[in-house]
Amino acid sequence: MASLNHAIETFLEMIAAERGAARNTLEAYSRDLASYAAFLNTQGQTVQTATALDIRAYLQSLHDAGLKASSAARRLSAIRQLNRFLFGEGLRPDDPSATTSSPKRGRPLPKVLTVADVERLLECPAQIASDPAATPLQRLMGLRMTALLELLYATGLRVSELIMLPFAAVQPDTQMMNIRGKGGKERLVPLTPKAKSAVADWRTALLKARNGQASRWLFPAESASGHLPRQVFARDLKTVAALAGIAANRISPHVLRHAFASHLLQNGADLRVVQQLLGHADIATTQIYTHVLDERVSAMVRDLHPLSDKKDP
């Protein structure tokens, strides 16, 4: 074990000196490699003698212990870097980790709100904006949050696209809005009447609050960028969610984007259409929502197939 620990310590010294690794990074590498070293010791191996089979056996032990694939992949990354170092320094004749595949990470399903959840969420800021007892600032913030949420749920915008909308993005005489998304790509998204109305109310109130002075952004703020920071919107969204009885860990701006896509698919929208609305370059990205389609198709077969086991009412 002394030579084993020395090899790891030498590797850690290298990444500290040559790569300027931070203390937290060094501690993480140290923990991960100590775990690997302990396993090899039980197999009568060292980092200089371990084979690809030993590395795969270690990964299997992590899987059997219930470690997440992402955590196992991080440990394999540390092992690979250690082996490259040992090979490069002539401390072993080969790199057994070069042919070892990373654990497959299951792509988690997106958190999705129900339609009832979204309805409660939209009602809260609207009630604040119309409350006679609210202060002028509270009413203004209520109108802003109403416009933000109505736009987000109506269009499925990315939060960065939402907060950077120009003041004239929503025109009263059009049913569509032009969005410049990732990579400068443009797309058209339809607007609901409620979203248009919420934006119109917000713009009117904003102009009044600014004494008629126009703003570059639809959602201006006293920030370095001049528009509402995404962190502020995320924080305010959690506050509204609490009023609507929605747990903080279930809500984020991106969750509303997921809700937009999932609710469209639940109501029969084509996956390609949803791809275009979301601005996904590859439909494979949109296919994370196919769990919704799977549920709908399963229900259709169960209810309509002549040989289904469903009992007659």
Side-chain angles (χ1 to χ4, degrees):
M1 288 295 290
S3 63
L4 180 67
N5 290 333
H6 176 71
I8 294 174
E9 288 172 3
T10 304
F11 166 70
L12 294 175
E13 289 171 0
M14 181 276 293
I15 63 173
E18 297 184 11
R19 303 182 191 175
R23 180 180 177 180
N24 289 344
T25 301
L26 291 171
E27 290 177 351
Y29 273 113
S30 180
R31 287 193 301 270
D32 291 345
L33 293 174
S35 168
Y36 175 55
F39 175 82
L40 290 179
N41 188 53
T42 66
Q43 307 299 307
Q45 297 282 20
T46 70
V47 292
Q48 287 93 341
T49 62
T51 66
L53 288 176
D54 293 318
I55 297 175
R56 284 195 285 270
Y58 172 64
L59 295 175
Q60 183 62 47
S61 73
L62 298 179
H63 174 76
D64 294 343
L67 196 71
K68 291 182 180 180
S70 57
S71 298
R74 189 197 67 227
R75 293 193 186 185
L76 177 57
S77 174
I79 293 169
R80 282 174 171 162
Q81 293 186 61
L82 172 65
N83 276 287
R84 281 197 293 267
F85 168 73
L86 295 176
F87 177 64
E89 293 294 312
L91 298 177
R92 65 167 301 149
D94 60 354
D95 177 359
S97 64
T99 57
T100 306
S101 300
S102 297
K104 292 184 178 179
R105 307 185 192 189
R107 192 171 186 181
L109 293 177
K111 296 178 182 178
V112 178
L113 300 175
T114 65
V115 174
D117 288 334
V118 175
E119 288 177 343
R120 294 200 312 276
L121 194 66
L122 294 174
E123 286 172 0
C124 285
Q127 289 174 351
I128 294 172
S130 60
D131 185 356
T135 66
L137 180 59
Q138 287 174 331
R139 286 197 294 271
L140 187 66
M141 292 299 95
L143 288 171
R144 184 178 75 174
M145 182 56 76
T146 301
L148 283 163
L149 295 184
E150 288 287 359
L151 272 176
L152 192 51
Y153 184 57
T155 61
L157 295 180
R158 299 178 178 92
V159 64
S160 56
E161 296 168 343
L162 176 68
I163 61 176
M164 293 179 65
L165 286 173
F167 186 78
V170 179
Q171 295 296 321
D173 57 346
T174 180
Q175 302 300 317
M176 306 291 285
M177 182 169 60
N178 188 52
I179 300 299
R180 184 179 295 274
K182 285 186 176 180
K185 294 182 179 179
E186 295 186 354
R187 70 185 189 277
L188 287 174
V189 295
L191 291 165
T192 62
K194 287 188 68 176
K196 291 182 60 176
S197 176
V199 171
D201 291 343
W202 161 243
R203 284 176 45 157
T204 299
L206 179 62
L207 285 172
K208 182 178 180 181
R210 294 169 61 94
N211 296 317
Q213 182 181 359
S215 165
R216 176 185 176 187
W217 308 106
L218 182 56
F219 301 106
E222 295 295 329
S223 64
S225 62
H227 59 68
L228 179 69
R230 60 192 303 165
Q231 297 89 343
V232 173
F233 174 43
R235 180 201 65 199
D236 293 348
L237 176 57
K238 289 185 182 296
T239 300
V240 173
L243 296 174
I246 299 171
N249 63 357
R250 292 185 58 216
I251 191 69
S252 72
H254 211 64
V255 167
L256 277 173
R257 177 170 159 90
H258 291 322
F260 163 81
S262 295
H263 295 171
L264 282 179
L265 289 170
Q266 285 174 350
N267 287 306
D270 183 84
L271 192 64
R272 289 281 184 187
V273 173
V274 175
Q275 175 196 359
Q276 294 172 2
L277 292 175
L278 292 175
H280 288 161
D282 189 342
I283 197 169
T285 308
T286 320
Q287 285 174 338
I288 189 156
Y289 299 104
T290 55
H291 70 285
V292 176
L293 292 175
D294 292 342
E295 292 172 1
R296 195 175 75 227
V297 170
S298 296
M300 181 184 69
V301 172
R302 183 189 66 240
D303 296 340
L304 303 179
H305 195 283
L307 299 183
S308 170
D309 290 335
K310 180 185 176 184
K311 295 181 181 179
D312 294 330

